[in-house]
């Protein structure tokens, strides 16, 4: 064969493989057995190895193999990636239908066609195709600018590297296809099992697993996660014309961009609502997570008339499913000791499947909460999980009591070190600085993300190192040696070497993360960032008095005292010396750290009014501060968000007058999860 023939043969093979991919992944209708497909694939691969000069970017062999990146590049979307307005109650769905008709000057009784699609609970991606070839893929980011993750997206076998042209309409020269990347419930369990075995932190839910996988700097890691994608619409689409959403999805399917097969055209809002209920009833048995349906006006000529707000198109609505609940038994109540010594009662449950995960534990927050809800060991309870939030107990089912249930009282001694417990407000606390539980949590916090960020050092490994007597305090982490590690069970040479090198890599650390890593009480990431901005270097912070500290905006006396106390303690001074002796260096930032990059809540103030369903008020406030936000107690111009529960007080009126952003509880929960969603 001469070179032209070889090129032709390779082209033919590529096209054949693309076509069989399409039959398999999009049409669910393979024409040839897997073994024949493998033969074609190997033949192409063989030719490509022999003639690398003829390899093309759209070759089906090019999915894996890209080199790890140092960081992600930014990509500006050609059309912004907006969000969708949420509805939880059926009345809101009727209101949406009425609003659509009002805006279109249609009579109240007009019947609108809606395209109803499952709302996939994953992460959105935008894929740019030029002349039918995938040239770029990105995350949503802030909606205008996302991160370039082309190599990662190429590892997803459901994404065509080249659009199908067989029996398909022509495609525009340049367009963006948008879809939701997700992972099946089953693969999520498998990944977590592997991670547990490896001592790595577990993903909280399939969405986090998908988000974590798609943002890997090394595409080989992404390739190992079995990510999937369903496409739901275009971004920028050039001169392409279409009549309606159903036609868009049909065309997408023909090109090889698979939409969710559970999509349905509904005549009128009642049919759309009925379909929502139908999909909700299939939720448990569907192999991936959905959190509602998206109801879209089908006729695309109406979209421009309806327009968009700054955040949402007015022609679609996300009708969310009910927060998921399940019934189970509390086998026992144990007490966990946190980093600051706080004792948290935790219900150990008879495992029960809920929203795609097996729920085995639920926090009971504190003793007051247990009394208020009258929760006893042995009780039947309703557990609830909303979005990302850890499961909570809604109530106990006292009618199912047998008389064998036991009331719970907080221990008077720390369950770990036996030190007598002290009570501060609603919180029970172990005051022993050297308590093993506190120490373990301190070290876990020290190496965690946003602190020293020692990736391969999960909680299990920290526990193992403490048990082996290799580390006693945070500074000891930097004195670990390869020889010590390889002797430990479950440490192979490679993992020992990896851990040592990630520890070495973490030695240089930005000032705000250093402060956060110390685990000073009341100093979360946001406060740490303020302190890093206000003090030129550590020495100045160490010397600061409580008065100096309270003069800083957002620093109150409680934080100030914790900081002063921390730096006055001799044992902390000793640990700091030990850290610097090990070569830890602080990078002082010339620019103030942008906490907004860390979480959607960072730097924002939240006020809660009315009763919340998913958490107690104090738990919600805790969540806000754990994500770098601030919980406010009164409504002022400076309040960023007012979260409204059931039966809100007068604060909501004041908030409206001031024109503040008002969130429903679900919107607040979504915001809590936003970082994971948007990255
Ligand atoms: S249409 C204006 N359709 O939900 C945004 N989105 O909350 C147009 N999502 O960022 C999106 N399933 O990631 C659309 N069938 C579906 C969807 C869907 C999941 C996600 C998407 C979007 C988010 C908005």
């Amino acid at each position: 064969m001469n070179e032209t023939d070889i090129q032709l043969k390779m082209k033919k093979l590529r096209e054949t493989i693309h076509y069989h991919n399409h039959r398999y992944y999009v049409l669910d209708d393979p024409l040839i057995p897997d073994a024949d497909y493998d033969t074609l694939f190997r033949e192409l691969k063989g030719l490509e190895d022999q003639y690398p000069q003829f390899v093309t970017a759209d070759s089906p062999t090019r999915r894996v193999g890209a080199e790890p990146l140092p960081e992600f590049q930014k990509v500006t979307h050609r059309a912004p990636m907006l969000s969708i307005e949420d509805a939880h109650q059926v009345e809101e769905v009727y209101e949406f239908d009425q609003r659509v008709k009002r805006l279109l000057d249609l009579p109240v009784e007009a019947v609108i066609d809606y395209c109803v699609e499952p709302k996939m609970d994953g992460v959105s991606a935008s894929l740019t195709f030029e002349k039918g070839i995938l040239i770029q893929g990105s995350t949503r980011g802030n909606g205008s600018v996302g991160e370039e993750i082309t190599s990662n997206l190429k590892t997803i076998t459901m994404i065509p590297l080249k659009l199908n042209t067989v029996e398909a309409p022509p495609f525009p020269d340049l367009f963006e296809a948008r879809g939701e990347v997700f992972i099946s419930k089953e693969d999520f369990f498998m990944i977590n099992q592997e991670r547990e075995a490896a001592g790595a932190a577990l993903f909280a839910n399939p969405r986090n697993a998908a988000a974590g996988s798609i943002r890997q700097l090394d595409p080989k890691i992404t390739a190992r996660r079995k990510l999937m994608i369903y496409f739901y619409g275009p971004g920028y689409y050039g001169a392409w014309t279409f009549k309606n959403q159903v036609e868009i999805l049909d065309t997408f399917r023909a090109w090889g961009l698979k939409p969710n097969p559970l999509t349905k055209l509904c005549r009128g809002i009642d049919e759309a609502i009925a379909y929502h209920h139908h999909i909700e009833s299939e939720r448990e048995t569907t192999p991936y997570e959905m959190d509602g349906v998206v109801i879209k006006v089908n006729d695309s000529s109406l979209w421009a008339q309806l327009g968009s707000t700054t955040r949402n198109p007015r022609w679609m609505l996300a009708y969310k499913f009910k927060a998921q609940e399940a019934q189970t038994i509390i086998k026992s109540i144990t007490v966990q000791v946190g980093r600051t010594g706080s004792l948290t009662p935790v219900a150990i449950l008879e495992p029960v499947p809920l929203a795609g995960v097996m729920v085995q534990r639920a926090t009971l927050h504190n003793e007051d909460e247990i009394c208020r809800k009258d929760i006893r060991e042995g009780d039947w309870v309703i557990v609830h999980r909303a979005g990302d939030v850890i499961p909570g107990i809604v109530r106990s089912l006292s009618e199912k009591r047998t008389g064998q249930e036991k009331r719970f009282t907080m221990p008077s001694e720390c369950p770990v070190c036996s030190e007598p417990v002290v009570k501060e407000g609603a919180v029970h606390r172990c005051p022993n600085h050297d308590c093993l539980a506190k120490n373990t949590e301190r070290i876990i916090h020290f190496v965690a993300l946003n602190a020293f960020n020692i990736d391969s050092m999960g909680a299990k490994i920290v526990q193992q190192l403490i048990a082996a007597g290799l580390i006693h305090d945070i500074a000891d982490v930097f004195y670990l040696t390869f020889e010590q590690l390889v002797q430990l069970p479950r440490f192979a040479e490679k993992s020992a070497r990896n851990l040592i090198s990630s520890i070495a890599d973490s030695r240089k650390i930005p000032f705000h993360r250093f402060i956060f890593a110390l685990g000073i009480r009341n100093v979360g990431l946001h406060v740490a960032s303020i302190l890093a901005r206000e003090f030129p270097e550590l020495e100045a912070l160490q010397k600061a008095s409580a008065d100096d500290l309270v003069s800083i905006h957002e620093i109150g006396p409680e934080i100030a005292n914790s900081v002063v106390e921390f730096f006055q303690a001799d044992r902390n001074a000793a640990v700091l010396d030990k850290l610097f002796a090990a070569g830890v260096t602080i990078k002082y930032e010339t620019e103030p750290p942008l906490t907004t990059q860390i979480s959607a809540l960072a730097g924002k103030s939240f006020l809660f009014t009315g009763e919340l369903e998913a958490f107690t008020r104090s738990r919600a406030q805790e969540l806000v501060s754990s994500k770098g936000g601030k919980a406010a107690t009164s409504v002022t111009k400076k309040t960023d968000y007012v979260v409204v529960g059931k039966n809100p007080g007068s604060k909501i009126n004041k908030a409206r007058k001031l024109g503040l952003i008002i969130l429903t509880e679900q919107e607040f929960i979504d915001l809590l999860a936003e970082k994971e969603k948007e990255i």
Side-chain angles (χ1 to χ4, degrees):
M1 269 200 293
N2 65 28
E3 290 212 335
T4 327
D5 289 343
I6 288 161
Q7 265 180 293
L8 262 175
K9 181 158 181 60
M10 287 170 79
K11 180 159 185 273
K12 190 101 206 342
L13 275 168
R14 281 196 305 267
E15 275 165 10
T16 314
I17 295 171
H18 278 309
Y19 181 66
H20 289 300
N21 276 343
H22 181 67
R23 300 286 311 203
Y24 183 90
Y25 289 110
V26 183
L27 307 180
D28 286 328
D29 185 18
L31 278 184
I32 54 169
D34 289 0
D36 292 3
Y37 176 90
D38 291 344
T39 310
L40 289 170
F41 200 91
R42 269 199 304 274
E43 193 179 349
L44 176 61
K45 189 85 186 48
L47 285 169
E48 288 183 344
D49 288 345
Q50 222 178 328
Y51 303 100
Q53 69 275 32
F54 300 148
V55 179
T56 57
D58 67 336
S59 166
T61 63
R62 298 287 99 186
R63 289 198 182 271
V64 203
E67 289 304 311
L69 301 167
E71 60 179 359
F72 295 113
Q73 299 297 310
K74 298 276 179 248
V75 182
T76 304
H77 302 301
R78 287 185 174 79
M81 294 178 82
L82 301 181
S83 340
I84 315 180
E85 186 185 333
D86 273 352
H88 296 271
Q89 312 294 339
V90 72
E91 294 77 33
E92 300 167 81
V93 183
Y94 283 116
E95 248 170 61
F96 162 77
D97 180 57
Q98 289 303 326
R99 188 182 67 198
V100 164
K101 290 180 224 174
R102 220 175 28 249
L103 290 168
L104 295 172
D105 271 336
L106 290 171
V108 199
E109 61 287 356
V111 175
I112 305 274
D113 282 354
Y114 291 109
C115 176
V116 183
E117 304 164 17
K119 185 165 191 304
M120 313 294 306
D121 200 7
V123 268
S124 42
S126 183
L127 293 151
T128 310
F129 287 89
E130 190 173 33
K131 301 201 167 30
I133 309 273
L134 172 65
I135 57 161
Q136 191 174 66
S138 56
T139 62
R140 176 180 187 274
N142 63 10
S144 309
V145 180
E147 283 176 323
E148 208 244 74
I149 49 162
T150 317
S151 310
N152 291 348
L153 288 170
K154 279 188 173 173
T155 68
I156 303 180
T157 42
M158 279 179 79
I159 294 182
L161 302 179
K162 184 172 187 264
L163 297 182
N164 176 55
T165 49
V166 184
E167 291 171 29
F171 39 73
D173 249 11
L174 184 73
F175 81 102
E176 293 168 336
R178 305 247 161 108
E180 193 82 350
V181 174
F182 61 96
I183 198 160
S184 72
K185 293 175 189 169
E186 195 185 335
D187 285 326
F188 160 73
F189 282 124
M190 306 254 283
I191 294 178
N192 264 358
Q193 265 173 8
E194 278 170 24
R195 289 174 77 86
E196 187 157 24
L202 300 191
F203 288 120
N205 53 38
R207 188 183 63 224
N208 283 7
S213 307
I214 206 67
R215 281 191 82 261
Q216 286 292 335
L217 289 165
D218 183 354
K220 290 189 190 66
I221 299 180
T222 313
R224 283 202 295 268
R225 311 275 168 82
K226 294 199 190 104
L227 293 172
M228 302 178 58
I229 187 166
Y230 280 141
F231 290 88
Y232 49 68
Y236 170 83
Y237 53 84
W240 178 28
T241 55
F242 38 77
K243 289 201 207 59
N244 52 52
Q245 173 71 7
V246 170
E247 186 188 309
I248 290 177
L249 297 181
D250 285 342
T251 311
F252 266 20
R253 190 179 305 102
W255 290 339
L257 307 167
K258 186 174 178 159
N260 191 315
L262 296 176
T263 301
K264 184 175 181 232
L265 177 64
C266 295
R267 311 257 173 225
I269 201 67
D270 284 319
E271 238 183 87
I273 293 168
Y275 193 55
H276 161 103
H277 294 318
H278 170 70
I279 300 273
E280 186 165 24
S281 70
E282 311 245 298
R283 187 178 185 187
E284 216 39 65
T285 51
T286 307
Y288 47 81
E289 294 242 32
M290 310 176 274
D291 57 352
V293 296
V294 187
I295 302 178
K296 302 178 181 175
V297 170
N298 190 40
D299 183 342
S300 56
S301 69
L302 307 178
W303 298 351
Q305 284 183 58
L306 291 164
S308 311
T309 66
T310 47
R311 295 181 58 178
N312 314 311
R314 285 201 196 84
W315 49 275
M316 61 171 84
L317 183 75
Y319 183 13
K320 294 296 207 59
F321 294 146
K322 280 195 285 296
Q324 288 190 318
E325 290 186 348
Q327 290 189 7
T328 187
I329 293 182
I330 299 188
K331 292 201 289 191
S332 60
I333 297 178
T334 60
V335 172
Q336 251 174 19
V337 186
R339 178 165 54 87
T340 58
S342 58
L343 268 52
T344 310
V346 176
I348 306 299
L349 306 169
E350 191 58 50
V352 58
L354 178 58
V357 298
M358 229 18 178
V359 177
Q360 323 215 17
R361 302 154 72 83
T363 173
L364 293 166
H365 306 297
N366 55 48
E367 194 173 40
D368 293 355
E369 172 108 350
I370 298 179
C371 290
R372 198 169 53 77
K373 291 188 177 162
D374 185 21
I375 290 170
R376 306 180 191 177
E377 278 179 318
D379 261 347
W380 273 93
V381 287
I382 296 182
V383 286
H384 151 119
R385 205 177 146 260
D388 251 1
V389 187
I390 30 171
I393 293 196
V394 184
R395 62 188 172 91
S396 57
L397 300 166
S398 51
E399 62 277 16
K400 285 200 173 186
R401 284 193 180 143
T402 60
Q404 299 296 302
E405 296 75 17
K406 278 198 292 195
R407 280 183 199 275
F408 173 80
T409 42
M410 282 299 259
S412 52
E413 290 178 353
C414 170
V416 178
C417 71
S418 305
E419 185 87 359
V421 164
V422 292
K423 194 163 182 221
E424 296 169 8
V427 182
H428 288 74
R429 210 178 280 284
C430 165
N432 174 13
H433 179 270
D434 299 318
C435 170
L436 176 65
K438 284 166 81 170
N439 202 26
T440 308
E441 292 300 322
R442 258 198 306 267
I443 299 175
I444 292 172
H445 171 85
F446 181 76
V447 298
L449 186 80
N450 294 326
F452 271 78
N453 196 11
I454 304 176
D455 208 17
S456 35
M457 200 159 170
K460 287 248 163 74
I461 292 188
V462 170
Q463 282 159 357
Q464 189 184 6
L465 296 173
I466 293 178
L470 295 182
I471 52 178
H472 305 92
D473 61 37
I474 53 176
D476 286 336
V477 169
F478 290 101
Y479 292 85
L480 285 167
T481 64
F482 171 78
E483 290 71 25
Q484 288 174 329
L485 293 182
V486 276
Q487 285 171 22
L488 296 175
R490 286 192 293 137
F491 264 97
E493 276 202 16
K494 190 166 171 221
S495 46
R497 197 162 295 121
N498 284 348
L499 182 52
I500 292 294
S501 89
S502 16
I503 293 173
D505 290 347
S506 74
R507 275 202 173 92
K508 264 207 173 114
I509 180 166
F511 192 25
H512 71 285
R513 278 179 32 201
F514 180 83
I515 300 172
F516 174 66
L518 296 176
I520 306 171
R521 210 155 129 191
N522 301 314
V523 179
L525 201 51
H526 179 60
V527 171
S529 301
I530 297 174
L531 296 174
R533 195 180 58 208
E534 295 292 326
F535 293 92
E537 50 188 37
L538 182 66
E539 220 188 329
L541 176 62
Q542 281 172 306
K543 286 190 187 143
S545 68
D547 283 346
D548 297 338
L549 287 159
V550 283
S551 69
I552 300 169
H553 179 59
E554 288 190 64
I555 307 285
E558 221 180 333
I559 300 176
N561 287 334
S562 317
V563 173
V564 171
E565 231 172 73
F566 180 90
F567 287 114
Q568 268 171 5
D570 289 341
R571 57 169 173 261
N572 292 333
V575 169
L576 285 173
D577 288 344
K578 203 162 140 189
L579 275 177
F580 297 125
V584 167
T585 37
I586 301 177
K587 280 190 286 187
Y588 290 101
E589 294 126 4
T590 40
E591 298 250 318
L594 274 181
T595 42
T596 45
Q597 286 174 350
I598 296 154
S599 125
L601 279 71
K604 303 276 190 239
S605 69
F606 286 77
L607 179 111
F608 295 88
T609 171
E611 296 154 36
L612 301 178
E613 278 181 4
F615 4 59
T616 57
R617 171 98 42 106
S618 60
R619 176 67 191 146
Q621 290 169 338
E622 230 174 80
L623 282 167
V624 165
S625 47
S626 74
K627 298 227 170 189
K630 209 176 160 214
T633 47
S634 61
V635 183
T636 71
K637 270 200 315 245
K638 287 192 184 149
T639 313
D640 291 295
Y641 296 101
V642 178
V643 182
V644 182
K646 263 198 234 141
N647 308 321
S650 62
K651 284 175 181 160
I652 184 169
N653 298 330
K654 183 157 181 211
R656 286 208 177 104
K657 261 190 219 142
L658 290 170
L660 303 177
I661 303 177
I662 296 178
L663 300 179
T664 60
E665 182 173 356
Q666 187 58 44
E667 284 170 329
F668 169 67
I669 292 172
D670 289 347
L671 199 65
L672 281 173
E674 198 147 282
K675 169 68 179 153
E676 283 92 341
K677 262 193 156 170
E678 289 199 346
I679 51 179

